[in-house]
Amino acid sequence: MNVADDSAPKGPLSGYRVLDLTTMVSGPISTMMLADQGADVIKVEPLRGETMRNAGIKHRGMSSSFLSCNRNKRSLAIDLKRPEGLDAVRRLLPSCDVVVQNFRPGAIERMGLGLEVARAARPDIIFVSISGFGEEGPYAGQRVYDPVIQALCGLADIQRDRDSGEPRMVRTIIPDKTTSVTAAQAITAALLHRERFGEGQHIKLAMLDTMVAYLWPESSSGLNYVGNEVDPARAQMGLDLIFKTLDGYITAATVADAEWRGFCRAVDRPDMLEDPRFASATQRSAHQTERRKFMSDAVSGYASADVIARLRTEDVPCAPVYTREQLMRDEQVLKNGIIEQHEHPVIGPVRQPRPAVRFEKTPANIRSLAPYLGEHNADILRDAGLSEADIAALAEAGVTAAETPGG
Amino acid sequence: MNVADDSAPKGPLSGYRVLDLTTMVSGPISTMMLADQGADVIKVEPLRGETMRNAGIKHRGMSSSFLSCNRNKRSLAIDLKRPEGLDAVRRLLPSCDVVVQNFRPGAIERMGLGLEVARAARPDIIFVSISGFGEEGPYAGQRVYDPVIQALCGLADIQRDRDSGEPRMVRTIIPDKTTSVTAAQAITAALLHRERFGEGQHIKLAMLDTMVAYLWPESSSGLNYVGNEVDPARAQMGLDLIFKTLDGYITAATVADAEWRGFCRAVDRPDMLEDPRFASATQRSAHQTERRKFMSDAVSGYASADVIARLRTEDVPCAPVYTREQLMRDEQVLKNGIIEQHEHPVIGPVRQPRPAVRFEKTPANIRSLAPYLGEHNADILRDAGLSEADIAALAEAGVTAAETPGG
């Protein structure tokens, strides 16, 4: 695994330790963002590994989804149901700045690692509880999957089919991922407060709350004015500007007059500049069905690369619709260096997107790929103050476990 | 406007000042998150107001979209093309901790408020540049709209229609919003670094980079292993578990055995427990089309509330598919207090979602609704050190402007 040079500039969260008890996606990506920015994230897993280790595609024993949610972390696989296991993790607490967990409400207390226990060990701890619906209320105890939140929060309503009126899901886990980024911001803000005022705190974040706040500004603008509501579906901007070309699909936007004129010139239809139906933004909006049909017909006679080049020359905002494989070969994606390739001694070459934020002084980066289960047991238990003999005894007694990389 | 009690606990970013030169969505929501957490955000706008003031639904002169992206901020409407206007804003810089801008690369330097100018006024400034594609490279100078990023980043590919194979947009501005939250986290991390080490920095964030990193973990897991790629569309989880009821739509998930058994009992089909096609998760996955049809048929004979109650009794993850109006009346949404009502002296009662994160010690909250254009000109110019006479002279000369609330 490639480890960064010690003298290199460090991420803005370097020096902080995070005890990561989360599973699945919303928690793990949140702590991965902290790890990308330099935090020492200790992922505590059950002996068989957390759920995502067994999800989806695997290669040399490493789940691809797990790989993308857990880089830059260390793994401790330990049985928290056995007193020696629980005790070892509790001995880590005094050195931790943050504890993050996303069990159902009440579970962490039953496990013996709740807020009170953490705070007793480290009075200024930042303790983070990520949940589906909040800690109290009618759904609080229910299991949550991403589509359940999509159904409740209005996202499936936004995606309603224009013709049939049927609601539709977004086919990627927007609520999970948005909760991750939101949690990472909150944890960073709490660290900042602690740095200034010496005070830790409990942070609670529900996926449902996150998604309502996230979607609201544009998708519920019809509901802002109490007593003057407008159907949000009507108030919503239409975005389905995808046009078929000879060899694929593109998108193009013609909001401003200059963009409309540029489009007409780009597709060799200067005659349309005279059409009164499209003479102003207001007119174009009033005749949007005709406008869409004209644009669609005009684009259909070109290959994607050809029409994109013409539109760019005229400064019309546009892009090809990429598959995920095409994306990797795009010249801007290559220029930005968005997708990095890392060499893993067991797995071989691995692609990962680098952290999006470019910090001038405190770069976030990929220092190590996701750990195999229990890969850092000994290191972490040493950090907890255990002796080599204690560490060996825990492994011998089956309180810790480690998989053989690639096995 | 409702202003919080001065003795009340303050947000984790209280005491920081942010000069907000952003427009549209990605920048404004990012600085709104900082404002929600207590930062003093000064929104600098051209004399006619930023673009979003004129977008979509309006009520008493306030755009609903603008309202939802700019609460807790102060507005200064000033002509930066006139030397007196530029000078006044420059005089604010020494008191600012953060400058955020999302113009096309190069524009902020031409305006006379670039990184070098900001850093000369305040050496430890955090200067943030949000862009569509990055600062350099083939698309850097292009105009960007949200659908352009959706097309490039793979989101439209993820949304491809299962039958026709046509790519589709998500009908809300995921790239804009995700960039906002990501930027807010980055700014907070940079403030934390400055608090610890006294050093400011430049942060660059491109929407394209943000979205590739955001989508990757689940939607591109097929591309992680170089040389062992799997079609990402095939590797992607299927999420379209929406079922029609007598009076609406619901979602329900039956991943675990217990959930499958619970489902069969909930819909009074215990006979299906014996069906070998559905006896294990592996079998259910192998027969997912038949399983989906069975679930769909079984649900279709119930009213939504009825079948949801039955599924919940059996601990099957489920939810009604809500419209955005229904969402507001949900008992969990009410219990969590997600949607607040605020009274504006001119606009009247206004709905807004409260900040999702619940900080125990440093609550984020809505202290004031979005400002009318130039509402805080005098306050802000006083903060810049201008005299009352100077402030009056600027208004008199048309270097500043203010709209009449409700006008």
Side-chain angles (χ1 to χ4, degrees), chain A residues 158 214-222 232-233 236, chain B residues 171-172 177 324:
Chain A
I158 290 169
Y214 175 85
L215 292 176
W216 189 279
E218 179 246 351
S219 65
S220 293
S221 67
Q236 194 181 328
Chain B
R171 286 158 61 196
T172 186
K177 290 175 179 180
R324 281 155 278 182

Side-chain angles (χ1 to χ4, degrees), chain A residues 64 139 160 171 221 330, chain B residues 64 139 160 171 221 330 360:
Chain A
S64 192
Y139 310 165
R160 209 171 274 279
R171 286 159 61 196
S221 67
D330 176 76
Chain B
S64 192
Y139 310 165
R160 208 170 275 279
R171 286 158 61 196
S221 69
D330 176 77
E360 174 192 14

Side-chain angles (χ1 to χ4, degrees), chain A residues 139 142 152, chain B residues 243-251 266-267 298-314 316 318-322 326 329-331:
Chain A
Y139 310 165
Q142 285 178 36
L152 286 173
Chain B
F243 305 108
K244 198 170 190 335
T245 63
L246 289 174
D247 59 350
Y249 296 89
I250 69 151
T251 185
V267 297
V299 165
S300 67
Y302 294 91
S304 293
D306 184 13
V307 70
I308 288 287
R310 286 162 168 268
L311 290 167
R312 283 188 179 147
T313 301
E314 298 287 350
V316 177
C318 66
V321 177
Y322 280 147
Q326 289 170 325
R329 299 189 294 269
D330 176 77
E331 48 187 341

Side-chain angles (χ1 to χ4, degrees), chain B residues 99-128:
Chain B
V99 174
V100 192
Q101 61 88 20
N102 63 350
F103 297 104
R104 283 203 257 185
I108 192 76
E109 286 76 18
R110 289 191 296 274
M111 291 165 68
L113 285 168
L115 174 63
E116 298 313 316
V117 171
R119 199 166 262 173
R122 172 90 190 222
D124 64 352
I125 198 98
I126 292 161
F127 192 92
V128 185

Side-chain angles (χ1 to χ4, degrees), chain A residues 18-252:
Chain A
V18 177
L19 190 72
D20 179 8
L21 298 162
T22 67
T23 62
M24 298 301 289
V25 177
S26 65
I29 292 185
S30 136
T31 54
M32 183 174 75
M33 289 185 71
L34 307 178
D36 285 352
Q37 295 182 7
D40 172 22
V41 176
I42 297 175
K43 184 171 180 83
V44 179
E45 302 184 68
L47 297 182
R48 290 172 166 218
E50 70 119 321
T51 316
M52 287 292 275
R53 284 203 183 264
N54 298 307
I57 300 165
K58 279 192 165 192
H59 178 62
R60 295 191 179 266
M62 176 65 80
S63 144
S64 192
S65 298
F66 183 88
L67 182 87
S68 290
C69 299
N70 293 287
R71 65 182 182 227
N72 288 330
K73 300 183 187 177
R74 298 191 289 162
S75 168
L76 169 65
I78 195 160
D79 188 348
L80 292 173
K81 294 199 177 111
R82 289 174 68 175
E84 314 91 292
L86 182 61
D87 179 63
V89 171
R90 284 182 170 174
R91 287 169 70 175
L92 275 172
L93 285 171
S95 70
C96 291
D97 302 283
V98 181
V99 173
V100 192
Q101 61 88 20
N102 65 348
F103 297 103
R104 283 203 257 185
I108 193 77
E109 286 76 17
R110 290 192 295 275
M111 290 166 65
L113 286 168
L115 174 63
E116 298 314 315
V117 171
R119 199 166 261 171
R122 172 87 190 224
D124 63 352
I125 199 101
I126 293 161
F127 192 93
V128 186
S129 301
I130 300 173
S131 66
F133 308 104
E135 317 275 300
E136 291 170 30
Y139 310 165
Q142 285 178 36
R143 221 183 300 240
V144 63
Y145 287 115
D146 192 90
V148 169
I149 303 295
Q150 292 202 26
L152 286 173
C153 75
L155 190 51
D157 180 38
I158 290 169
Q159 287 300 105
R160 209 171 274 279
D161 185 88
R162 284 169 208 269
D163 301 321
S164 69
E166 284 181 13
R168 295 248 191 274
M169 298 290 181
V170 173
R171 286 159 61 196
T172 187
I173 49 180
I174 303 284
D176 269 324
K177 291 175 179 178
T178 301
T179 303
S180 302
V181 192
T182 307
Q185 193 279 330
I187 293 166
T188 311
L191 282 167
L192 178 57
H193 176 75
R194 200 190 68 173
E195 211 60 57
R196 293 202 291 167
F197 302 105
E199 182 181 56
Q201 60 183 310
H202 188 194
I203 295 172
K204 295 185 259 189
L205 182 61
M207 290 173 68
L208 179 61
D209 300 32
T210 302
M211 284 308 294
V212 174
Y214 175 85
L215 292 176
W216 189 279
E218 179 246 351
S219 65
S220 293
S221 67
L223 301 176
N224 271 336
Y225 301 123
V226 181
N228 290 278
E229 289 85 355
V230 176
D231 176 4
R234 220 157 53 75
Q236 194 181 328
M237 302 175 204
L239 285 182
D240 250 320
L241 293 171
I242 293 183
F243 305 109
K244 198 169 188 338
T245 63
L246 289 176
D247 59 350
Y249 297 89
I250 69 152
T251 186

